Amino acid sequence: SVWLKRSKITNQTGDVQGVIESRADSNDNCGIIFNTDDTLLVKLKIGGTNAKLITNRVFRDVSAWYHIVVAVDTTQSTSSNRAKLYINGSQETSFSTETYPTQDGDTLFNNTNQHEIGDMLYSGTTNFDGYMAEVNFVDGTQLTPTSFGETKNGVWIPKKYTGSYGT
């Protein structure tokens, strides 16, 4: 879960903007990235097998805070339940690319590989340009956005996470 506000959209800079990435090597990496067309990519590459969710929706409002939750549970028998993307409390369901992790696969998030917040681990201009708050990594549980936010007066706002972070 992360709350973020963009300062520049990627088509102004011509480069992707990494929100977070964990990488073992070029075959094994996971990340949340704003693409050059301002869509959002959730990448869960495991052993050369790509799992990707790329939104149809674009994120170009530099005055708005976005709450992004990526919830992964690869033990689920239904592939679309293995990775879920939520934006501002609602599940995102419109994707230009929609491929899911293999059942029982391990991602690189929350393990011993290096993690980069606000950038990506390979060379190039991939810095996130904006603000981030309330970055939470929870291991072992596929949570919903209500663990991190709530609606008050019709607006989705942050709330303190009070659960366990797992291992």
mmCIF file with all atom_site columns, all heavy atoms in Angstrom, residues 115-132:
data_model
loop_
_atom_site.group_PDB
_atom_site.id
_atom_site.type_symbol
_atom_site.label_atom_id
_atom_site.label_alt_id
_atom_site.label_comp_id
_atom_site.label_asym_id
_atom_site.label_entity_id
_atom_site.label_seq_id
_atom_site.pdbx_PDB_ins_code
_atom_site.Cartn_x
_atom_site.Cartn_y
_atom_site.Cartn_z
_atom_site.occupancy
_atom_site.B_iso_or_equiv
_atom_site.pdbx_formal_charge
_atom_site.auth_seq_id
_atom_site.auth_comp_id
_atom_site.auth_asym_id
_atom_site.auth_atom_id
_atom_site.pdbx_PDB_model_num
ATOM 1   N N   . HIS A 1 115 ? 15.268 -3.872 -2.373  1.00 0.00 ? 115 HIS A N   1
ATOM 2   C CA  . HIS A 1 115 ? 14.043 -3.170 -2.755  1.00 0.00 ? 115 HIS A CA  1
ATOM 3   C C   . HIS A 1 115 ? 14.384 -1.696 -2.943  1.00 0.00 ? 115 HIS A C   1
ATOM 4   O O   . HIS A 1 115 ? 15.193 -1.148 -2.201  1.00 0.00 ? 115 HIS A O   1
ATOM 5   C CB  . HIS A 1 115 ? 12.975 -3.292 -1.659  1.00 0.00 ? 115 HIS A CB  1
ATOM 6   C CG  . HIS A 1 115 ? 12.376 -4.647 -1.526  1.00 0.00 ? 115 HIS A CG  1
ATOM 7   N ND1 . HIS A 1 115 ? 13.106 -5.786 -1.308  1.00 0.00 ? 115 HIS A ND1 1
ATOM 8   C CD2 . HIS A 1 115 ? 11.093 -5.049 -1.575  1.00 0.00 ? 115 HIS A CD2 1
ATOM 9   C CE1 . HIS A 1 115 ? 12.299 -6.831 -1.229  1.00 0.00 ? 115 HIS A CE1 1
ATOM 10  N NE2 . HIS A 1 115 ? 11.063 -6.406 -1.386  1.00 0.00 ? 115 HIS A NE2 1
ATOM 11  N N   . GLU A 1 116 ? 13.774 -1.083 -3.905  1.00 0.00 ? 116 GLU A N   1
ATOM 12  C CA  . GLU A 1 116 ? 13.995 0.333  -4.182  1.00 0.00 ? 116 GLU A CA  1
ATOM 13  C C   . GLU A 1 116 ? 12.639 1.024  -4.151  1.00 0.00 ? 116 GLU A C   1
ATOM 14  O O   . GLU A 1 116 ? 11.726 0.634  -4.882  1.00 0.00 ? 116 GLU A O   1
ATOM 15  C CB  . GLU A 1 116 ? 14.648 0.480  -5.552  1.00 0.00 ? 116 GLU A CB  1
ATOM 16  C CG  . GLU A 1 116 ? 15.152 1.846  -5.860  1.00 0.00 ? 116 GLU A CG  1
ATOM 17  C CD  . GLU A 1 116 ? 16.530 2.128  -5.283  1.00 0.00 ? 116 GLU A CD  1
ATOM 18  O OE1 . GLU A 1 116 ? 17.251 1.191  -4.901  1.00 0.00 ? 116 GLU A OE1 1
ATOM 19  O OE2 . GLU A 1 116 ? 16.879 3.315  -5.203  1.00 0.00 ? 116 GLU A OE2 1
ATOM 20  N N   . ILE A 1 117 ? 12.491 2.014  -3.314  1.00 0.00 ? 117 ILE A N   1
ATOM 21  C CA  . ILE A 1 117 ? 11.249 2.785  -3.245  1.00 0.00 ? 117 ILE A CA  1
ATOM 22  C C   . ILE A 1 117 ? 11.501 4.124  -3.921  1.00 0.00 ? 117 ILE A C   1
ATOM 23  O O   . ILE A 1 117 ? 12.457 4.826  -3.590  1.00 0.00 ? 117 ILE A O   1
ATOM 24  C CB  . ILE A 1 117 ? 10.797 2.976  -1.783  1.00 0.00 ? 117 ILE A CB  1
ATOM 25  C CG1 . ILE A 1 117 ? 10.473 1.613  -1.154  1.00 0.00 ? 117 ILE A CG1 1
ATOM 26  C CG2 . ILE A 1 117 ? 9.580  3.898  -1.710  1.00 0.00 ? 117 ILE A CG2 1
ATOM 27  C CD1 . ILE A 1 117 ? 10.166 1.665  0.316   1.00 0.00 ? 117 ILE A CD1 1
ATOM 28  N N   . GLY A 1 118 ? 10.648 4.459  -4.885  1.00 0.00 ? 118 GLY A N   1
ATOM 29  C CA  . GLY A 1 118 ? 10.788 5.722  -5.602  1.00 0.00 ? 118 GLY A CA  1
ATOM 30  C C   . GLY A 1 118 ? 11.752 5.665  -6.765  1.00 0.00 ? 118 GLY A C   1
ATOM 31  O O   . GLY A 1 118 ? 12.140 6.685  -7.320  1.00 0.00 ? 118 GLY A O   1
ATOM 32  N N   . ASP A 1 119 ? 12.129 4.471  -7.183  1.00 0.00 ? 119 ASP A N   1
ATOM 33  C CA  . ASP A 1 119 ? 13.057 4.293  -8.295  1.00 0.00 ? 119 ASP A CA  1
ATOM 34  C C   . ASP A 1 119 ? 13.006 2.828  -8.708  1.00 0.00 ? 119 ASP A C   1
ATOM 35  O O   . ASP A 1 119 ? 12.279 2.022  -8.133  1.00 0.00 ? 119 ASP A O   1
ATOM 36  C CB  . ASP A 1 119 ? 14.481 4.679  -7.867  1.00 0.00 ? 119 ASP A CB  1
ATOM 37  C CG  . ASP A 1 119 ? 15.418 4.918  -9.038  1.00 0.00 ? 119 ASP A CG  1
ATOM 38  O OD1 . ASP A 1 119 ? 14.953 4.925  -10.196 1.00 0.00 ? 119 ASP A OD1 1
ATOM 39  O OD2 . ASP A 1 119 ? 16.624 5.101  -8.790  1.00 0.00 ? 119 ASP A OD2 1
ATOM 40  N N   . MET A 1 120 ? 13.801 2.502  -9.709  1.00 0.00 ? 120 MET A N   1
ATOM 41  C CA  . MET A 1 120 ? 13.972 1.123  -10.134 1.00 0.00 ? 120 MET A CA  1
ATOM 42  C C   . MET A 1 120 ? 15.449 0.797  -10.064 1.00 0.00 ? 120 MET A C   1
ATOM 43  O O   . MET A 1 120 ? 16.293 1.688  -10.052 1.00 0.00 ? 120 MET A O   1
ATOM 44  C CB  . MET A 1 120 ? 13.408 0.937  -11.540 1.00 0.00 ? 120 MET A CB  1
ATOM 45  C CG  . MET A 1 120 ? 11.908 1.184  -11.566 1.00 0.00 ? 120 MET A CG  1
ATOM 46  S SD  . MET A 1 120 ? 11.229 1.274  -13.225 1.00 0.00 ? 120 MET A SD  1
ATOM 47  C CE  . MET A 1 120 ? 11.512 -0.368 -13.809 1.00 0.00 ? 120 MET A CE  1
ATOM 48  N N   . LEU A 1 121 ? 15.787 -0.478 -10.015 1.00 0.00 ? 121 LEU A N   1
ATOM 49  C CA  . LEU A 1 121 ? 17.152 -0.902 -9.733  1.00 0.00 ? 121 LEU A CA  1
ATOM 50  C C   . LEU A 1 121 ? 18.043 -1.041 -10.958 1.00 0.00 ? 121 LEU A C   1
ATOM 51  O O   . LEU A 1 121 ? 19.146 -1.517 -10.849 1.00 0.00 ? 121 LEU A O   1
ATOM 52  C CB  . LEU A 1 121 ? 17.125 -2.233 -8.971  1.00 0.00 ? 121 LEU A CB  1
ATOM 53  C CG  . LEU A 1 121 ? 16.526 -2.117 -7.573  1.00 0.00 ? 121 LEU A CG  1
ATOM 54  C CD1 . LEU A 1 121 ? 16.171 -3.479 -7.016  1.00 0.00 ? 121 LEU A CD1 1
ATOM 55  C CD2 . LEU A 1 121 ? 17.491 -1.400 -6.662  1.00 0.00 ? 121 LEU A CD2 1
ATOM 56  N N   . TYR A 1 122 ? 17.581 -0.661 -12.125 1.00 0.00 ? 122 TYR A N   1
ATOM 57  C CA  . TYR A 1 122 ? 18.475 -0.702 -13.281 1.00 0.00 ? 122 TYR A CA  1
ATOM 58  C C   . TYR A 1 122 ? 18.770 0.710  -13.740 1.00 0.00 ? 122 TYR A C   1
ATOM 59  O O   . TYR A 1 122 ? 18.101 1.656  -13.352 1.00 0.00 ? 122 TYR A O   1
ATOM 60  C CB  . TYR A 1 122 ? 17.895 -1.565 -14.408 1.00 0.00 ? 122 TYR A CB  1
ATOM 61  C CG  . TYR A 1 122 ? 16.607 -1.067 -15.011 1.00 0.00 ? 122 TYR A CG  1
ATOM 62  C CD1 . TYR A 1 122 ? 16.601 -0.120 -16.035 1.00 0.00 ? 122 TYR A CD1 1
ATOM 63  C CD2 . TYR A 1 122 ? 15.390 -1.554 -14.566 1.00 0.00 ? 122 TYR A CD2 1
ATOM 64  C CE1 . TYR A 1 122 ? 15.424 0.328  -16.592 1.00 0.00 ? 122 TYR A CE1 1
ATOM 65  C CE2 . TYR A 1 122 ? 14.203 -1.111 -15.115 1.00 0.00 ? 122 TYR A CE2 1
ATOM 66  C CZ  . TYR A 1 122 ? 14.226 -0.182 -16.118 1.00 0.00 ? 122 TYR A CZ  1
ATOM 67  O OH  . TYR A 1 122 ? 13.060 0.273  -16.666 1.00 0.00 ? 122 TYR A OH  1
ATOM 68  N N   . SER A 1 123 ? 19.779 0.818  -14.585 1.00 0.00 ? 123 SER A N   1
ATOM 69  C CA  . SER A 1 123 ? 20.228 2.152  -14.987 1.00 0.00 ? 123 SER A CA  1
ATOM 70  C C   . SER A 1 123 ? 19.176 2.853  -15.839 1.00 0.00 ? 123 SER A C   1
ATOM 71  O O   . SER A 1 123 ? 18.306 2.227  -16.419 1.00 0.00 ? 123 SER A O   1
ATOM 72  C CB  . SER A 1 123 ? 21.538 2.056  -15.753 1.00 0.00 ? 123 SER A CB  1
ATOM 73  O OG  . SER A 1 123 ? 21.342 1.310  -16.929 1.00 0.00 ? 123 SER A OG  1
ATOM 74  N N   . GLY A 1 124 ? 19.280 4.144  -15.909 1.00 0.00 ? 124 GLY A N   1
ATOM 75  C CA  . GLY A 1 124 ? 18.324 4.947  -16.657 1.00 0.00 ? 124 GLY A CA  1
ATOM 76  C C   . GLY A 1 124 ? 17.648 5.939  -15.733 1.00 0.00 ? 124 GLY A C   1
ATOM 77  O O   . GLY A 1 124 ? 17.873 5.955  -14.523 1.00 0.00 ? 124 GLY A O   1
ATOM 78  N N   . THR A 1 125 ? 16.821 6.774  -16.310 1.00 0.00 ? 125 THR A N   1
ATOM 79  C CA  . THR A 1 125 ? 16.106 7.769  -15.527 1.00 0.00 ? 125 THR A CA  1
ATOM 80  C C   . THR A 1 125 ? 14.756 7.186  -15.157 1.00 0.00 ? 125 THR A C   1
ATOM 81  O O   . THR A 1 125 ? 13.835 7.228  -15.947 1.00 0.00 ? 125 THR A O   1
ATOM 82  C CB  . THR A 1 125 ? 15.911 9.047  -16.348 1.00 0.00 ? 125 THR A CB  1
ATOM 83  O OG1 . THR A 1 125 ? 16.948 9.155  -17.296 1.00 0.00 ? 125 THR A OG1 1
ATOM 84  C CG2 . THR A 1 125 ? 15.947 10.258 -15.475 1.00 0.00 ? 125 THR A CG2 1
ATOM 85  N N   . THR A 1 126 ? 14.664 6.647  -13.975 1.00 0.00 ? 126 THR A N   1
ATOM 86  C CA  . THR A 1 126 ? 13.444 5.954  -13.568 1.00 0.00 ? 126 THR A CA  1
ATOM 87  C C   . THR A 1 126 ? 12.917 6.440  -12.227 1.00 0.00 ? 126 THR A C   1
ATOM 88  O O   . THR A 1 126 ? 12.094 5.780  -11.607 1.00 0.00 ? 126 THR A O   1
ATOM 89  C CB  . THR A 1 126 ? 13.689 4.436  -13.492 1.00 0.00 ? 126 THR A CB  1
ATOM 90  O OG1 . THR A 1 126 ? 14.758 4.194  -12.561 1.00 0.00 ? 126 THR A OG1 1
ATOM 91  C CG2 . THR A 1 126 ? 14.045 3.862  -14.856 1.00 0.00 ? 126 THR A CG2 1
ATOM 92  N N   . ASN A 1 127 ? 13.399 7.574  -11.743 1.00 0.00 ? 127 ASN A N   1
ATOM 93  C CA  . ASN A 1 127 ? 12.969 8.085  -10.441 1.00 0.00 ? 127 ASN A CA  1
ATOM 94  C C   . ASN A 1 127 ? 11.509 8.484  -10.465 1.00 0.00 ? 127 ASN A C   1
ATOM 95  O O   . ASN A 1 127 ? 11.025 9.045  -11.443 1.00 0.00 ? 127 ASN A O   1
ATOM 96  C CB  . ASN A 1 127 ? 13.786 9.316  -10.042 1.00 0.00 ? 127 ASN A CB  1
ATOM 97  C CG  . ASN A 1 127 ? 15.235 8.994  -9.806  1.00 0.00 ? 127 ASN A CG  1
ATOM 98  O OD1 . ASN A 1 127 ? 15.584 7.864  -9.506  1.00 0.00 ? 127 ASN A OD1 1
ATOM 99  N ND2 . ASN A 1 127 ? 16.083 9.980  -9.966  1.00 0.00 ? 127 ASN A ND2 1
ATOM 100 N N   . PHE A 1 128 ? 10.837 8.221  -9.365  1.00 0.00 ? 128 PHE A N   1
ATOM 101 C CA  . PHE A 1 128 ? 9.484  8.726  -9.183  1.00 0.00 ? 128 PHE A CA  1
ATOM 102 C C   . PHE A 1 128 ? 9.586  10.212 -8.885  1.00 0.00 ? 128 PHE A C   1
ATOM 103 O O   . PHE A 1 128 ? 10.383 10.630 -8.052  1.00 0.00 ? 128 PHE A O   1
ATOM 104 C CB  . PHE A 1 128 ? 8.785  7.998  -8.031  1.00 0.00 ? 128 PHE A CB  1
ATOM 105 C CG  . PHE A 1 128 ? 7.429  8.553  -7.741  1.00 0.00 ? 128 PHE A CG  1
ATOM 106 C CD1 . PHE A 1 128 ? 6.370  8.313  -8.584  1.00 0.00 ? 128 PHE A CD1 1
ATOM 107 C CD2 . PHE A 1 128 ? 7.213  9.351  -6.620  1.00 0.00 ? 128 PHE A CD2 1
ATOM 108 C CE1 . PHE A 1 128 ? 5.118  8.847  -8.334  1.00 0.00 ? 128 PHE A CE1 1
ATOM 109 C CE2 . PHE A 1 128 ? 5.965  9.885  -6.352  1.00 0.00 ? 128 PHE A CE2 1
ATOM 110 C CZ  . PHE A 1 128 ? 4.918  9.629  -7.211  1.00 0.00 ? 128 PHE A CZ  1
ATOM 111 N N   . ASP A 1 129 ? 8.783  11.003 -9.553  1.00 0.00 ? 129 ASP A N   1
ATOM 112 C CA  . ASP A 1 129 ? 8.798  12.455 -9.357  1.00 0.00 ? 129 ASP A CA  1
ATOM 113 C C   . ASP A 1 129 ? 7.505  12.838 -8.642  1.00 0.00 ? 129 ASP A C   1
ATOM 114 O O   . ASP A 1 129 ? 6.456  12.969 -9.266  1.00 0.00 ? 129 ASP A O   1
ATOM 115 C CB  . ASP A 1 129 ? 8.912  13.173 -10.701 1.00 0.00 ? 129 ASP A CB  1
ATOM 116 C CG  . ASP A 1 129 ? 9.276  14.639 -10.532 1.00 0.00 ? 129 ASP A CG  1
ATOM 117 O OD1 . ASP A 1 129 ? 9.057  15.190 -9.440  1.00 0.00 ? 129 ASP A OD1 1
ATOM 118 O OD2 . ASP A 1 129 ? 9.775  15.228 -11.506 1.00 0.00 ? 129 ASP A OD2 1
ATOM 119 N N   . GLY A 1 130 ? 7.572  12.969 -7.328  1.00 0.00 ? 130 GLY A N   1
ATOM 120 C CA  . GLY A 1 130 ? 6.383  13.305 -6.560  1.00 0.00 ? 130 GLY A CA  1
ATOM 121 C C   . GLY A 1 130 ? 6.578  13.018 -5.090  1.00 0.00 ? 130 GLY A C   1
ATOM 122 O O   . GLY A 1 130 ? 7.699  12.959 -4.588  1.00 0.00 ? 130 GLY A O   1
ATOM 123 N N   . TYR A 1 131 ? 5.470  12.824 -4.406  1.00 0.00 ? 131 TYR A N   1
ATOM 124 C CA  . TYR A 1 131 ? 5.460  12.595 -2.964  1.00 0.00 ? 131 TYR A CA  1
ATOM 125 C C   . TYR A 1 131 ? 4.898  11.215 -2.674  1.00 0.00 ? 131 TYR A C   1
ATOM 126 O O   . TYR A 1 131 ? 3.994  10.751 -3.359  1.00 0.00 ? 131 TYR A O   1
ATOM 127 C CB  . TYR A 1 131 ? 4.568  13.625 -2.269  1.00 0.00 ? 131 TYR A CB  1
ATOM 128 C CG  . TYR A 1 131 ? 4.986  15.043 -2.522  1.00 0.00 ? 131 TYR A CG  1
ATOM 129 C CD1 . TYR A 1 131 ? 4.438  15.768 -3.580  1.00 0.00 ? 131 TYR A CD1 1
ATOM 130 C CD2 . TYR A 1 131 ? 5.935  15.660 -1.716  1.00 0.00 ? 131 TYR A CD2 1
ATOM 131 C CE1 . TYR A 1 131 ? 4.823  17.074 -3.827  1.00 0.00 ? 131 TYR A CE1 1
ATOM 132 C CE2 . TYR A 1 131 ? 6.326  16.965 -1.956  1.00 0.00 ? 131 TYR A CE2 1
ATOM 133 C CZ  . TYR A 1 131 ? 5.768  17.666 -3.014  1.00 0.00 ? 131 TYR A CZ  1
ATOM 134 O OH  . TYR A 1 131 ? 6.153  18.953 -3.262  1.00 0.00 ? 131 TYR A OH  1
ATOM 135 N N   . MET A 1 132 ? 5.423  10.571 -1.635  1.00 0.00 ? 132 MET A N   1
ATOM 136 C CA  . MET A 1 132 ? 4.904  9.294  -1.154  1.00 0.00 ? 132 MET A CA  1
ATOM 137 C C   . MET A 1 132 ? 4.714  9.373  0.343   1.00 0.00 ? 132 MET A C   1
ATOM 138 O O   . MET A 1 132 ? 5.486  10.018 1.045   1.00 0.00 ? 132 MET A O   1
ATOM 139 C CB  . MET A 1 132 ? 5.869  8.154  -1.453  1.00 0.00 ? 132 MET A CB  1
ATOM 140 C CG  . MET A 1 132 ? 5.972  7.790  -2.882  1.00 0.00 ? 132 MET A CG  1
ATOM 141 S SD  . MET A 1 132 ? 6.941  6.281  -3.022  1.00 0.00 ? 132 MET A SD  1
ATOM 142 C CE  . MET A 1 132 ? 7.232  6.281  -4.767  1.00 0.00 ? 132 MET A CE  1
#
